[in-house]
Structure formats: C-alpha cells, structure tokens
Amino acid sequence: MGVMTDAWTWLTTGAHWSGEEGIGARLAEHAYVSVLALLIAGAVALPLGLWLGHVGRGGALAVNVSNVGRAVPVFAVLALFMVSPLRNAGYVPTVSALVLFAIPPLLTNAYVGVREVDRAAVRAARGMGMTGGQVFRRVELPLAAPVVMTGIRSAAVQVVATATIAAMVGQGGLGRIITAGFALYDTAQVVAGAVLVALLALVVEGVLVAVDRLLVPRPPRT
C-alpha cells in the first residue's frame, strides 16, 4: 500500500497539476490526440461499415482486412511512421497509428449491426414502399444503433488507453508522466500516471454508456 499512498500524494500535490508539463496540460494533449483519432476513424469506418451492411456485399472481406490491423502492435505501426517523412509532422504519426487501431471495432460493429437487423422487418419496410435510403434511415440504422455504439465505446476506450504511446516518440499526453517517472526512477509518479490513464478510460466509458442510454432507442420489453 506504500506505493499507492505515494501515488495518491503525488496526484494531490498542486504543483503537479499546473504548468506546461502538469497533469492539466498532459490531459488536454491526451484528449486532443484521442478525440482527433476517433473522429477520423469514425468518419472512415462508420459510413463504410453501415453502407456495406446495407448492401450486403463485400462487408466480410472489409471486416477481415481491417481486423488484420489488430494483429499488428500499435507501437510497431508508430515506429514505421517515425522513420517515414511524417516523423517531423507533430502528432500526425501518433494519430495515424491510433486511427488504424480504432477502425476495426468501428467498421466491424457498424457492418454487423446492420446485417443483424431482422430481415423480416426490412422486407416489411420494402413491402410498404420504402426506398433503400428510407429503409436504411428508418429501420436498419435505429435497430443497428446499439451494436454501433458498442463499437464506438470499445474503440474510444482502446484509443484512450493506447494514446500513451505518444510519449514513446517524444509527444505529449498522459504517457509523458509515466515515462518521466521511469526516467526519474519515481515509482509513485509511474503509478500515478497509470491511474490517470485508467481513470480517463473509465470516464470515457461511463460518458458513452450514458449517451447510449439517453440517445439510442431500445426495443420495448415483452
């Protein structure tokens, strides 16, 4: 318990929250990288996954190809970017690596969510004279929303946790607190940094769960 007590003391020290290298600044950097990566990944993966699920063609291949990225360590991808011309482009290498990491759960859940919609409901909608676009907007998308949101939550938590790799290439974020602790042989600081990352991931998960429950319709209980 001594290490946890020391970590708590480190976290509650006001000086560690202020300045360019304080917790507040590192948290803002971490949030910036994570949100940017999620927005880009969502803009690519969600429309593609939803469209493939709607048309029912090519989705399995796209999902399998995107899932190949899960077998490649994010740090390895980042290392490749760092030996490319992008190495001097600020957060671009880190964001690019996180985007590739976030695409698989977003794409997979979007595709599966639409494909798992009850085909009877789709046929009934078409029988009522709905166009393909109307069927997608009024039937498939609402029914697929819970599965899509699960993918968004999964991707968000993974990106927040993995964004600590930015510190490995000299970028900002909460990972800098951890790497600085290792450099100073300060175990309390290392643990404090890890706790901050874990808490941020939990907060993100909690916020998205709340959004899911408030905005995503659920079928009535029988």
Side-chain angles (χ1 to χ4, degrees), residues 130-173:
M130 288 188 184
T131 64
Q134 290 173 328
V135 171
F136 173 73
R137 292 190 304 271
R138 299 181 184 181
V139 179
E140 291 178 328
L141 187 57
L143 293 177
V147 179
V148 175
M149 277 301 301
T150 299
I152 293 174
R153 295 205 315 268
S154 175
V157 172
Q158 291 178 20
V159 166
V160 167
T162 310
T164 53
I165 64 171
M168 304 298 291
V169 292
Q171 300 295 330

Side-chain angles (χ1 to χ4, degrees), residues 81-135:
F81 280 125
M82 291 309 296
V83 297
S84 73
L86 294 175
R87 64 183 178 276
N88 297 319
Y91 282 110
V92 172
T94 302
V95 172
S96 300
L98 291 175
V99 166
L100 294 176
F101 186 60
I103 282 177
L106 293 172
L107 177 61
T108 300
N109 281 58
Y111 171 74
V112 171
V114 175
R115 292 311 301 163
E116 287 188 347
V117 170
D118 188 352
R119 294 297 99 186
V122 174
R123 288 193 296 270
R126 293 187 184 279
M128 294 171 62
M130 288 188 184
T131 64
Q134 290 173 328
V135 171

Side-chain angles (χ1 to χ4, degrees), residues 19-35 78 82 87 89-95 98 159-180 193 197 200:
E20 294 183 357
E21 298 185 358
I23 295 173
R26 296 306 186 198
L27 181 60
E29 294 167 345
H30 202 99
Y32 169 76
V33 171
S34 300
V35 171
L78 181 58
M82 291 309 296
R87 64 183 178 276
Y91 282 110
V92 172
T94 302
V95 172
L98 291 175
V159 166
V160 167
T162 310
T164 53
I165 64 171
M168 304 298 291
V169 292
Q171 300 295 330
L174 294 175
R176 287 294 292 272
I177 296 174
I178 298 173
T179 56
V197 175
L200 180 58

